Amino acid sequence: MNRTYRFTYLFDPLCGWCYAAAPALERIAERHGDSLRLMPTGLFTELRPVATIADHARANDDRIQELTGQPFTSAYHQGVMRAPGGLFSSLPLTRALVALGLIDPALEPRFLHEAQTARYVEGRDTSRPEIVAGVAHSVAQAAGLQINEGDLLDRLTEDQHLAAETDSRILEGRKMMEMLGLRGIPQLVVTDGGGTRTVDSQTLYAGGDAVLRAFGAAA
């Protein structure tokens, strides 16, 4: 008998270890996108100077690349994390993800993938709203949607309804983590007829097929 699965992914768009889990998320979105919900937790939404976390991030990035093969380029290390006066906040990314999700939830994992590529591979500073608006605009265009990039930028910085929707999603994600006793992200929560459980990090970083096999879902 076939089971019906529901996947909830708890993450932050600027979480390096969430980038480590990106291949798994991409596979789940490809095979079970209708059953996948992205739930941002707001871990890095508070604005801070990027210099305060650059060394810690570099150590994590090196571990992630060694463990998973996910690339971190010199354009990212030097152009983003060592940028003079650079700032660090996932709030623009989180708002953009929510904005696209209000149009079509399937756009959310696509946007997250493109945003991670823009930052870690292309070296674009995705803490800046204008960069985020450009990435979101490209994702929308690829989906056949006509969205004005300038209007989208205004929404990311000025739209109080979008700000409230984003805060609501973050609160929901945090409540889920508290309810399940979870610490740290990323977390993949799987629910089916047998109940709710989480995927261990070793399996999550091994890729989507490993995750799906762990729960008997179609790979």
Side-chain angles (χ1 to χ4, degrees), residues 8-11 41 173-190 196-200:
T8 303
Y9 184 62
L10 296 152
F11 75 104
T41 64
R174 290 175 175 175
K175 284 182 176 178
M176 174 175 276
M177 291 191 71
E178 182 178 357
M179 180 181 67
L180 296 176
L182 300 176
R183 298 290 182 270
I185 53 173
Q187 297 281 352
L188 182 66
V189 181
V190 183
T196 296
R197 58 265 201 217
T198 58
V199 177
D200 66 87

Side-chain angles (χ1 to χ4, degrees), residues 98-136:
V98 171
L100 291 176
L102 291 171
I103 300 169
D104 181 356
L107 296 176
E108 293 186 8
R110 298 178 203 171
F111 170 73
L112 180 59
H113 172 77
E114 293 300 328
Q116 289 170 329
T117 300
R119 185 177 187 85
Y120 300 119
V121 179
E122 299 169 3
R124 299 164 65 191
D125 187 355
T126 54
S127 286
R128 294 167 55 189
E130 65 272 22
I131 300 297
V132 174
V135 175

Side-chain angles (χ1 to χ4, degrees), residues 26 29 36 43 60-62 65 100 107 116 155 166 171 176 179 200 209:
E26 185 175 7
L36 171 65
L43 180 62
N60 276 338
D61 297 343
D62 290 345
Q65 187 161 336
L100 291 176
L107 296 176
Q116 289 170 329
R155 289 196 68 197
T166 303
L171 181 60
M176 174 175 276
M179 180 181 67
D200 66 87
D209 288 350

Side-chain angles (χ1 to χ4, degrees), residues 3-128:
R3 290 185 179 181
T4 299
Y5 290 88
R6 186 168 70 253
F7 300 91
T8 303
Y9 184 62
L10 296 152
F11 75 104
D12 186 279
L14 289 185
C15 163
W17 287 102
C18 299
Y19 178 54
L25 182 68
E26 185 175 7
R27 184 63 168 156
I28 293 166
E30 176 186 288
R31 299 296 297 171
H32 300 276
D34 290 344
S35 302
L36 171 65
R37 188 175 189 211
L38 270 59
M39 193 71 72
T41 64
L43 180 62
F44 295 121
T45 53
E46 182 179 349
L47 188 67
R48 70 198 77 181
V50 73
T52 62
I53 64 165
D55 291 340
H56 177 73
R58 181 59 188 260
N60 276 338
D61 297 343
D62 290 345
R63 290 174 59 202
I64 290 165
Q65 187 161 336
E66 182 179 0
L67 177 66
T68 68
Q70 288 286 82
F72 295 87
T73 66
S74 60
Y76 156 71
H77 285 304
Q78 300 303 320
V80 176
M81 298 305 289
R82 300 294 178 183
L87 299 174
F88 185 84
S89 171
S90 63
L91 186 57
L93 285 165
T94 308
R95 285 183 177 173
L97 182 136
V98 171
L100 291 176
L102 291 171
I103 300 169
D104 181 356
L107 296 176
E108 293 186 8
R110 298 178 203 171
F111 170 73
L112 180 59
H113 172 77
E114 293 300 328
Q116 289 170 329
T117 300
R119 185 177 187 85
Y120 300 119
V121 179
E122 299 169 3
R124 299 164 65 191
D125 187 355
T126 54
S127 286
R128 294 167 55 189

